[in-house]
Amino acid sequence: MPDRNAHVVRPGDPDYRWALSGYSRRGWKAPREIVFACQPEHVSATVIRCREHGIPLVIRNSRFGQAEACFESGSIILDVSRINTITLARSGETVSVGAGATSLVAADVLSTRSVRVPMGMHPEVSLVGIALAGGVGMSCRSLGLVCDAVIEAEVVDTDGQLVRASFAENPDLFWALRGAGCAGFGIVTCLTLRTWPASPVVLFDVDWQHSDADQVWAAWQDWAPSTDRGLSSALSFDKNLVRLSGQFHGTEHRLLSLISPMLRTGAAVNVNTRRMSQRDAVRAFAEPEGPHPMLRWGAAVSGPATDFCAFPWRNSPYIMETTAHWASPTSEQSARAWTADARHLAAEWIDGLYAGWPDPDDPDWLKSAYGNNLSRLRRVHVRWDPYNVFRSRFGVGWD
Ligand SMILES: Cc1cc2nc3c(=O)[nH]c(=O)nc-3n(C[C@H](O)[C@H](O)[C@H](O)COP(=O)(O)OP(=O)(O)OC[C@H]3O[C@@H](n4cnc5c(N)ncnc54)[C@H](O)[C@@H]3O)c2cc1C
């Protein structure tokens, strides 16, 4: 049984529906209980219990992924979001981040020592959840992916043991966790990341009417790959506007000079720059209902060798997100059809899918997400989860 300090929610409890809710509105099957672990021992006890009794186990953290698609009747949801301690080394050179700590809280702690780590663009997503998928954000052209900054992981394995993984210790597990950490190798309770000195950044937006879309799109493709690596930018399209938004590590004056080729393209209707601390920049990118960005990477993302970790797409030039939001259930079908169409139209240019945005409708999801790394991941999985305790819809042990 889990330690009595773990909070357990069962059907009929007043907070049962809340305990199941998440960013995704996909329907779920009713689990038998949700265990809110507060420390690694609760995780170990739950893993051992599920393994001994053959109970399906679903891992959950800050609820921005698609764990709901993995719920099975009678399963136990193990929620690690309350394991959220952040410890900054006295030197400031490394930070250990508990599984559930959000980017927002991590940014607050890091700012006390004027250091930073690469982060995603949504401040409420757990930094560990992002890192396990790879971790794409506005610092990635200068610092790399979030997973590239990880130097050690603490993981509860299939036996319920807390093990460490790093370049020196359990390197096969460490390789898999960085980019395929959501695919069922163990439950990560803490990641340690190296840090970089933080300095103020400049955020910017440039808007054009949709009639300039083709011109802006072509100009951005010429300009974005070769610009300063301290400058990351995303291009978003919606029905009315094309928006170039981004972040620059440097001065406003230098930014305006760097983006001048884009400002000379078409007729920009709005140019907006804001200088702020790294910490405030993390808050500023909170746009969950925003448009559909294509983020240009390259630079530091394509620096490491392709076998540095399990993330397979570091040599792709862009990451593209197609999102649809709907207010009423009657719009769901057309919204889904729109995203399917968008993907179909782009199909010939798509190398693969990002593991952080799992697609339950993709019949070949594992290949789409892990590409040529899939066979190596399967070998690592056999070693680390021989009983398939961490089997999930998006995991390597699914088929
Ligand atoms: C609005 C929104 C914005 C996003 N922004 C970004 C972004 O800017 N950059 C980016 O890279 N990604 C982004 N993502 C994707 C996000 O990084 C992934 O969905 C990530 O998996 C979410 O982490 P979570 O803790 O919320 O996962 P949850 O939804 O809580 O869990 C999903 C799955 O992740 C795995 N998992 C989570 N935590 C652990 C753990 N500690 N140990 C083992 N497995 C675990 C489990 O398999 C679990 O079933 C975004 C997603 C959304 C919905």
Side-chain angles (χ1 to χ4, degrees):
M1 291 289 288
D3 185 288
R4 64 180 178 277
N5 291 327
H7 178 54
V8 179
V9 178
R10 299 192 175 85
D13 288 349
D15 45 357
Y16 183 71
R17 286 194 75 80
W18 166 82
L20 290 179
S21 62
Y23 184 83
S24 161
R25 305 264 159 77
R26 276 181 185 266
W28 28 259
K29 294 181 188 148
R32 73 166 68 185
E33 62 188 41
I34 302 109
V35 176
F36 287 89
C38 307
Q39 54 198 57
E41 290 73 15
H42 301 156
V43 176
S44 300
T46 308
V47 169
I48 291 168
R49 182 178 158 215
C50 287
R51 186 180 144 187
E52 284 180 356
H53 298 278
I55 302 169
L57 174 68
V58 179
I59 308 161
R60 219 171 179 215
N61 195 349
S62 61
R63 310 185 188 187
F64 281 88
Q66 293 278 351
E68 296 78 5
C70 310
F71 291 6
E72 292 179 41
S73 303
S75 58
I76 288 180
I77 313 300
L78 177 55
D79 187 309
V80 294
S81 61
R82 294 182 186 179
I83 303 177
N84 54 13
T85 305
I86 300 176
T87 310
L88 191 53
R90 197 168 291 182
S91 65
E93 287 172 5
T94 62
V95 63
S96 297
V97 182
T102 63
S103 297
L104 192 60
V105 177
D108 282 347
V109 173
L110 292 165
S111 71
T112 63
R113 299 296 294 269
S114 298
V115 289
R116 63 183 171 132
V117 297
M119 288 184 177
M121 286 174 283
H122 196 293
E124 299 291 347
V125 185
S126 69
L127 189 54
V128 167
I130 288 185
L132 296 180
V136 181
M138 279 294 171
S139 298
C140 67
R141 290 192 80 241
S142 52
L143 305 184
L145 299 168
V146 183
C147 70
D148 295 342
V150 175
I151 55 172
E152 188 180 86
E154 283 179 13
V155 189
V156 172
D157 72 6
T158 190
D159 294 321
Q161 298 293 318
L162 190 64
V163 297
R164 281 180 208 285
S166 67
F167 292 107
E169 216 173 338
N170 299 313
D172 58 340
L173 178 61
F174 188 58
W175 174 83
L177 291 175
R178 292 170 298 137
C182 299
F185 298 92
I187 304 180
V188 174
T189 53
C190 182
L191 290 179
T192 299
L193 291 82
R194 63 161 290 202
T195 65
W196 283 259
S199 52
V201 295
V202 186
L203 303 195
F204 65 95
D205 301 308
V206 185
D207 293 338
W208 292 264
Q209 305 279 11
H210 204 273
S211 50
D212 281 338
D214 288 351
Q215 238 184 310
V216 172
W217 171 229
W220 185 63
Q221 292 198 64
D222 283 343
W223 166 81
S226 55
T227 194
D228 189 301
R229 61 197 281 144
L231 195 164
S232 289
S233 64
L235 198 62
S236 314
F237 301 87
D238 70 13
K239 271 185 264 179
N240 306 312
L241 282 180
V242 181
R243 168 166 289 186
L244 176 70
S245 51
Q247 174 175 297
F248 177 56
H249 292 273
T251 64
E252 223 157 338
H253 182 259
R254 170 94 176 119
L255 168 73
L256 287 170
S257 152
L258 286 169
I259 63 173
S260 60
M262 293 305 300
L263 298 179
R264 288 196 297 271
T265 303
V269 291
N270 170 45
V271 181
N272 176 16
T273 61
R274 291 101 70 204
R275 187 170 168 80
M276 62 183 72
S277 68
Q278 186 77 57
R279 169 176 168 267
D280 290 342
V282 171
R283 285 185 166 75
F285 274 107
E287 285 187 19
E289 307 290 319
H292 325 296
M294 292 197 62
L295 182 70
R296 171 74 213 190
W297 52 24
V301 175
S302 44
T306 45
D307 63 352
F308 177 66
C309 68
F311 183 83
W313 310 120
R314 57 176 74 248
N315 290 324
S316 302
Y318 306 98
I319 182 162
M320 180 179 84
E321 186 185 347
T322 51
T323 48
H325 301 273
W326 56 92
S328 110
T330 52
S331 312
E332 176 169 349
Q333 217 178 342
S334 58
R336 284 191 190 288
W338 183 88
T339 53
D341 275 357
R343 212 161 102 188
H344 182 69
L345 282 171
E348 68 176 288
W349 297 287
I350 293 178
D351 293 330
L353 301 184
Y354 177 43
W357 298 321
D359 182 357
D361 300 325
D362 185 334
D364 206 9
W365 160 253
L366 288 172
K367 186 72 186 160
S368 303
Y370 301 114
N372 291 338
N373 285 338
L374 183 56
S375 45
R376 182 170 170 188
L377 286 168
R378 288 194 197 284
R379 291 196 296 277
V380 178
H381 182 259
V382 166
R383 174 162 181 233
W384 284 95
D385 189 18
Y387 318 107
N388 223 352
V389 175
F390 304 120
R391 181 176 189 272
S392 85
R393 166 69 185 83
F394 304 112
V396 171
W398 178 248
D399 49 15

